Amino acid sequence: MAKDKNMLLKWLRDAHAMESSAESILEKQVKRVKDHPEVHRRIADHLEETRRQQTRLEDCINKLGGDTSVLKEMVGKFSGTMQALGAAGADDELVKAAISNYAFESMEIASYKSLIAAAEAYNEPEIRRVCEEILVEEERMAEWLENNVGAITRDHLSRMGVSVHEPSKPGPESRREPPRPRA
Amino acid sequence: MAKDKNMLLKWLRDAHAMESSAESILEKQVKRVKDHPEVHRRIADHLEETRRQQTRLEDCINKLGGDTSVLKEMVGKFSGTMQALGAAGADDELVKAAISNYAFESMEIASYKSLIAAAEAYNEPEIRRVCEEILVEEERMAEWLENNVGAITRDHLSRMGVSVHEPSKPGPESRREPPRPRA
């Protein structure tokens, strides 16, 4: 391995630790949302994706000559970080979980964007390709959460017995415009 | 205050605690990025926005008859959560900060989307309007981070002495499509 690829290797290991933490968070959540079928299905699907992503990152690490036997030690680096926000057991658990999952997905998105730039800088097109594929999966999950956090909030209030006011016209859930190309 | 508006009040207080935490994170960061003028300017601007957002949330809390004197106690609820990811002092501090700031902005975005749905459900158009305005500010900051995390990564590698490979054509930094309207 070229010595100066140490930083790329470190960031791939960080990403692997992040996905391991995501797996552990999603495993806990998937058991708790059984009475919300659509949320359950999306989390279960993403749990499977997350497991496959870990394997693909291990392949990238091996490709750079890195050792994957140390990866387990790094698991938990990110644990507890977002879980605290998930607020398991709070009466608004599902709403808080949607918010914290979106934040976690966004951390993953920014991490893969950074990794793609790094793989490109190091002229590692295969690693770049893998990170681009994983990025698409994370963006799909983030998009689903972004489009559903409002509905999850309204559903929670209805279940709590709040007589939910129906607006005259539905507001757009997102105002974000597609990112402009950088100059 | 209508008794059943307790949940809206709680969520506004959560948002206020989140902005207080954001203020404290940005205050630390703004001192550490002085040799990166563009990053410094964007963080300094968002620090000012964040302070104004707190005042606007206090107005919303007062409007619902809530007490803002207890808000200070909630500060720090979110502290440490994202700061751990900021990894101050690590040699890739600026890259990690860009990633964790994006995750924090995303937590804010999802929180305001949830609050907008709640304000709508409770028929509180003024609170909804304030949250929509703050959402736009958070989305702008997130968009800036999303568009710049790759450049910040390349800049870090260059400063570390990595001979950065110039790709034949620049890859798009984002593949996310605009959210589709929910069915």
Side-chain angles (χ1 to χ4, degrees):
Chain A
M1 184 189 66
K3 185 165 178 280
D4 78 350
K5 292 199 175 171
N6 277 336
M7 188 54 78
L8 181 57
L9 186 57
K10 176 190 177 294
W11 287 338
L12 285 167
R13 282 183 166 139
D14 286 348
H16 187 277
M18 182 173 70
E19 296 300 347
S20 301
S21 178
E23 182 186 11
S24 127
I25 292 170
L26 295 171
E27 273 172 351
K28 287 192 187 81
Q29 285 180 352
V30 82
K31 294 178 195 149
R32 301 179 71 93
V33 294
K34 292 237 161 110
D35 55 337
H36 298 78
E38 197 189 352
V39 177
H40 182 267
R41 189 172 55 244
R42 194 63 189 87
I43 289 180
D45 287 351
H46 194 57
L47 177 56
E48 288 312 309
E49 269 178 353
T50 299
R51 287 173 177 149
R52 288 193 297 272
Q53 289 166 357
Q54 285 178 60
T55 309
R56 289 147 79 194
L57 289 169
E58 283 166 26
D59 292 344
C60 290
I61 290 163
N62 286 326
K63 186 179 179 303
L64 290 181
D67 187 353
T68 54
S69 70
V70 298
L71 288 177
K72 282 194 200 309
E73 296 167 29
M74 303 185 62
V75 176
K77 183 178 175 184
F78 289 90
S79 292
T81 304
M82 300 305 297
Q83 275 168 314
L85 294 173
D91 66 350
D92 56 352
E93 176 182 10
L94 204 67
V95 175
K96 293 299 190 210
I99 292 170
S100 64
N101 283 4
Y102 183 70
F104 201 99
E105 288 305 317
S106 301
M107 181 176 69
E108 294 181 309
I109 287 169
S111 297
Y112 288 110
K113 282 180 185 281
S114 173
L115 264 173
I116 289 164
E120 187 182 288
Y122 281 116
N123 198 20
E124 286 283 351
E126 175 59 17
I127 291 175
R128 178 183 168 160
R129 192 187 59 75
V130 170
C131 292
E132 283 175 339
E133 286 173 6
I134 297 179
L135 175 63
V136 171
E137 295 172 0
E138 307 297 10
E139 287 182 336
R140 260 188 228 127
M141 183 64 182
E143 186 185 329
W144 185 86
L145 289 160
E146 189 171 15
N147 286 344
N148 283 276
V149 65
I152 289 169
T153 302
R154 282 188 292 273
D155 180 60
H156 172 69
L157 293 174
S158 287
R159 285 173 190 240
M160 278 185 67
V162 173
S163 59
V164 169
H165 171 78
E166 292 296 332
S168 50
K169 60 180 180 67
E173 277 214 27
S174 176
R175 295 161 158 255
R176 194 184 316 192
E177 293 171 11
R180 287 182 296 276
R182 282 175 307 119
Chain B
M1 184 189 65
K3 184 165 178 279
D4 77 351
K5 293 201 175 173
N6 276 338
M7 188 54 76
L8 181 57
L9 186 58
K10 175 189 177 296
W11 287 340
L12 285 167
R13 282 182 167 140
D14 286 347
H16 187 277
M18 183 173 69
E19 296 301 348
S20 300
S21 179
E23 181 186 12
S24 129
I25 292 170
L26 295 170
E27 274 173 349
K28 286 192 186 80
Q29 285 180 351
V30 82
K31 294 177 194 152
R32 301 178 72 90
V33 295
K34 291 238 162 110
D35 54 339
H36 298 78
E38 197 190 350
V39 178
H40 182 267
R41 189 173 54 244
R42 195 63 189 89
I43 289 180
D45 287 351
H46 194 57
L47 177 57
E48 288 310 309
E49 269 178 351
T50 299
R51 288 174 176 148
R52 288 193 297 270
Q53 289 165 358
Q54 285 179 60
T55 309
R56 289 147 79 192
L57 290 169
E58 283 166 26
D59 291 344
C60 290
I61 290 163
N62 286 327
K63 184 178 180 304
L64 289 181
D67 186 353
T68 53
S69 71
V70 298
L71 288 176
K72 283 194 199 310
E73 294 166 31
M74 305 185 60
V75 177
K77 184 180 174 182
F78 289 90
S79 292
T81 305
M82 299 305 298
Q83 274 169 313
L85 294 173
D91 66 350
D92 56 352
E93 175 182 12
L94 203 67
V95 176
K96 293 300 190 210
I99 293 170
S100 65
N101 283 2
Y102 183 70
F104 201 99
E105 287 306 317
S106 301
M107 181 176 70
E108 294 182 308
I109 287 168
S111 297
Y112 288 111
K113 282 178 185 283
S114 174
L115 264 174
I116 288 164
E120 188 182 286
Y122 282 117
N123 197 19
E124 287 283 352
E126 175 59 17
I127 291 176
R128 178 182 167 159
R129 193 186 59 74
V130 170
C131 292
E132 282 175 339
E133 286 173 4
I134 297 179
L135 175 63
V136 171
E137 295 172 358
E138 306 298 9
E139 287 183 336
R140 258 187 230 130
M141 183 64 181
E143 187 185 330
W144 185 86
L145 289 161
E146 190 171 16
N147 287 343
N148 283 277
V149 65
I152 289 169
T153 302
R154 281 189 292 274
D155 180 59
H156 171 68
L157 292 174
S158 287
R159 284 173 190 240
M160 277 184 67
V162 174
S163 60
V164 169
H165 173 77
E166 292 297 331
S168 50
K169 61 180 180 64
E173 276 212 30
S174 175
R175 293 159 159 256
R176 192 182 318 192
E177 293 170 10
R180 287 182 295 276
R182 282 174 307 118

